[in-house]
């Protein structure tokens, strides 16, 4: 699973900002820790399969990139579930089935750290009513059921933490400082390394970054090192990085495709306003699955404004990335490429930075909540960002992060 720092995937968003019986879906209102029956397990899986088939955009990418036809594997998955003898085995198989989707935004994290998601979306709903639907979906289960699955998850995947029965044992990354700096006067180069764009750091790091970027104006080169950063909230860099280094508004747009599903209409009602059809997109490298009429498209125009009375950073900005850069940190890399705000250097990212918060889905019998990506973000040429990722302007081949930074500094030395 990817880190929970990928949670608030509010990527490039405008700042204003089963029991399945024919056609009836209903949810249990009470829960005991009795083992699920085979029929209950299969009903949950069938509900998951049905909802993903209607809404999930990356089945084609999974076939091309990982040679996995998830939808066609349905009978194999059913067989695996039938062979489970208890809830522990079921949860292990269920996670394996989700992992076959090979997408870092698709997992059962909203179950494992339920309170983190629930509290965050409750808070988000006070600022934007769209998050009320996320809260409502999470309330189809509760903290008691999530705790049951969390304990099973700990036993399966984190046995060394089994006795640390607290949310922090999984949700918090153990890093002493999120920001580190190095100022190399001989190269007139400032280096700012940011480990995470976690939602928790947006306010916490604001004053620190303001101070740092004021200081960097005295240097000819600025390296923003986000190697190893697997995302969080785009608000982190849209509020705390870019505005301190510009003096004019930067406009940019993003385009994404999405399926015409009821779940998308419920979670992303704005997607269905001002929609664009395939014939209007005219981007050359769009995946074939976007051309069959099952997708609509949306193009969002966004701006980032400078902080008041700010002076533009006049040196060269480099964004150092690696293969771990994902979600909202990849969104920054994509932004830099599109707007030329900075030169992207390093290696290809893990992508999936163009989009908004993943959708939520609560399974009726187990109470397991999963999240999954609801749109396919497109690069400027029409290719899927999750498939082609973000390619650097300057590729630096290295075996580790320190070597990659060292090679970039050597490159700057030659530019003097």
């Amino acid at each position: 699973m990817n880190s929970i720092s990928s949670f608030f995937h509010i990527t490039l968003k405008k700042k204003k900002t089963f029991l399945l019986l024919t056609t009836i879906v209903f949810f249990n209102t009470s829960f005991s820790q009795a083992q699920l029956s085979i029929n209950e397990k299969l009903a949950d899986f069938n509900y998951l399969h049905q909802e993903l088939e209607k809404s999930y955009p990356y089945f084609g990418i999974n076939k091309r990139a990982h040679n996995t036809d998830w939808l066609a594997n349905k009978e194999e998955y059913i067989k695996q579930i039938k062979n489970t003898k208890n809830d522990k085995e079921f949860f292990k198989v269920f996670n394996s089935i989700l992992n076959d989707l090979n997408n870092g935004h698709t997992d059962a994290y909203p179950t494992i750290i339920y309170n983190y998601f629930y509290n965050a979306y409750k808070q988000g709903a006070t600022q934007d009513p769209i998050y009320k639907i996320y809260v409502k979906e999470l309330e189809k289960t509760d903290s008691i059921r999530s705790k049951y699955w969390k304990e099973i998850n700990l036993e399966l995947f984190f046995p060394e933490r089994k006795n640390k029965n607290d949310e922090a044992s999984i949700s918090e990354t153990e890093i002493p400082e999120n920001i580190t700096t190095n100022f190399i006067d001989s190269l007139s180069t400032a280096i700012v390394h940011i480990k995470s764009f976690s939602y928790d750091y947006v306010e916490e790091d604001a004053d620190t970054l303001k101070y740092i970027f004021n200081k960097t104006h005295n240097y000819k080169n600025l390296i923003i090192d986000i190697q190893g950063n697997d995302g969080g909230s785009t608000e982190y860099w849209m509020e705390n990085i870019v505005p301190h280094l510009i003096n004019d508004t930067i406009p940019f747009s993003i385009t994404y495709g999405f399926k015409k599903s009821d779940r998308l209409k419920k979670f992303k009602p704005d997607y269905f306003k001002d929609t664009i059809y395939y014939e209007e997109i005219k981007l050359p490298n769009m995946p074939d699955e976007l051309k069959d009429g099952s997708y609509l498209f949306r193009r969002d125009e966004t701006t980032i404004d400078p902080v008041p009375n700010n002076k533009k950073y006049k040196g060269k900005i480099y964004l150092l990335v690696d293969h771990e850069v994902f979600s909202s940190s990849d969104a920054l890399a994509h932004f830099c490429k599109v707007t030329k705000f900075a030169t992207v250097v390093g290696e290809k990212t893990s992508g999936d930075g163009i989009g908004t918060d993943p959708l939520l889905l609560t399974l009726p019998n187990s109470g397991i909540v999963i999240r999954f990506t609801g749109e396919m973000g497109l690069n400027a040429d029409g290719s899927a960002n999750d498939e082609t990722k973000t390619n650097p302007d300057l590729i630096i081949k290295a075996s580790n992060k320190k070597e990659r930074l060292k090679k970039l500094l050597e490159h700057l030395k030659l530019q003097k």
Side-chain angles (χ1 to χ4, degrees), residues 228-248:
N229 185 326
D230 64 358
S233 170
T234 55
E235 290 182 5
Y236 188 99
W237 58 266
M238 292 179 76
E239 295 180 3
N240 294 339
I241 296 178
V242 178
H244 294 288
L245 299 169
I246 59 176
N247 61 3
D248 289 315

Side-chain angles (χ1 to χ4, degrees), residues 353-387:
I354 304 175
T356 57
D357 289 67
L359 310 183
L360 298 182
L361 176 67
T362 304
L363 305 184
N365 296 302
S366 62
I368 293 171
V369 188
I370 72 159
R371 61 176 182 163
F372 66 92
T373 298
E375 66 283 301
M376 184 186 295
L378 303 180
N379 294 317
D381 64 353
S383 60
N385 177 262
D386 184 63
E387 184 169 17

Side-chain angles (χ1 to χ4, degrees), residues 206-224:
D207 289 340
T208 300
L209 287 170
K210 178 181 178 180
Y211 171 80
I212 290 170
F213 290 130
N214 282 336
K215 186 175 180 180
T216 61
H217 277 71
N218 299 320
Y219 291 79
K220 294 181 180 179
N221 301 301
L222 169 60
I223 298 172
I224 302 174

Side-chain angles (χ1 to χ4, degrees), residues 304-315:
I304 298 181
D305 299 317
V307 296
N309 304 315
N310 193 50
K311 59 179 182 178
K312 178 181 172 62
Y313 176 75
K314 295 182 179 180

Side-chain angles (χ1 to χ4, degrees), residues 34-244:
Q35 299 290 308
L36 293 167
S37 69
I38 291 297
N39 287 338
E40 288 173 327
K41 296 172 188 175
L42 291 176
D44 274 9
F45 170 72
N46 285 328
Y47 181 51
L48 168 72
H49 193 277
Q50 174 184 277
E51 288 297 314
L52 290 184
E53 186 173 21
K54 291 177 180 178
S55 303
Y56 186 68
Y58 289 155
F59 291 121
I61 293 175
N62 202 18
K63 287 182 189 178
R64 293 189 293 271
H66 303 284
N67 197 31
T68 300
D69 190 338
W70 195 88
L71 291 174
N73 288 342
K74 181 178 182 179
E75 292 306 316
E76 173 58 27
Y77 295 146
I78 287 175
K79 180 180 177 181
Q80 291 177 20
I81 291 171
K82 283 182 176 179
N83 287 333
T84 61
K85 298 180 178 63
N86 51 49
D87 288 353
K88 181 178 177 181
E89 291 183 7
F90 168 69
F91 193 73
K92 185 175 183 179
V93 167
F94 183 79
N95 272 277
S96 176
I97 291 170
L98 287 181
N99 287 339
D100 268 3
L101 288 164
N102 293 293
N103 178 257
H105 282 126
T106 303
D107 51 45
Y109 259 39
T111 304
I112 307 309
I113 47 175
Y114 177 85
N115 291 335
Y116 183 91
F117 276 82
Y118 184 73
N119 293 333
Y121 278 125
K122 283 273 283 189
Q123 181 180 344
T126 63
Q127 302 174 31
D128 189 340
I130 192 59
Y131 291 116
K132 289 181 179 179
I133 192 64
Y134 287 82
V135 175
K136 187 176 180 180
E137 187 69 21
L138 285 166
E139 288 177 343
K140 290 178 179 178
T141 189
D142 53 47
S143 58
I144 296 174
R145 286 203 280 187
S146 66
K147 182 180 179 182
Y148 175 66
W149 294 111
K150 175 186 172 182
E151 289 173 351
I152 288 177
N153 183 77
L154 282 169
E155 190 174 340
L156 284 169
F157 305 113
F158 301 92
E160 73 282 2
R161 295 180 176 180
K162 183 68 173 65
N163 295 324
K164 296 181 180 180
N165 193 22
D166 62 324
E167 204 107 307
S169 66
I170 296 178
S171 64
E172 293 180 1
T173 49
E174 297 171 358
I175 48 179
E177 293 181 357
N178 192 44
I179 303 169
T180 54
T181 59
N182 187 15
F183 296 90
I184 306 175
D185 291 337
S186 60
L187 285 177
S188 190
T189 298
I191 304 169
V192 182
H193 180 218
I194 305 173
K195 298 178 182 179
S196 172
F197 288 166
S198 171
Y199 178 77
D200 296 328
Y201 293 126
V202 175
E203 291 187 15
E204 183 178 324
D205 290 350
D207 289 340
T208 300
L209 287 170
K210 178 181 178 180
Y211 171 80
I212 290 170
F213 290 130
N214 282 336
K215 186 175 180 180
T216 61
H217 277 71
N218 299 320
Y219 291 79
K220 294 181 180 179
N221 301 301
L222 169 60
I223 298 172
I224 302 174
D225 183 357
I226 59 169
Q227 294 181 96
N229 185 326
D230 64 358
S233 170
T234 55
E235 290 182 5
Y236 188 99
W237 58 266
M238 292 179 76
E239 295 180 3
N240 294 339
I241 296 178
V242 178
H244 294 288

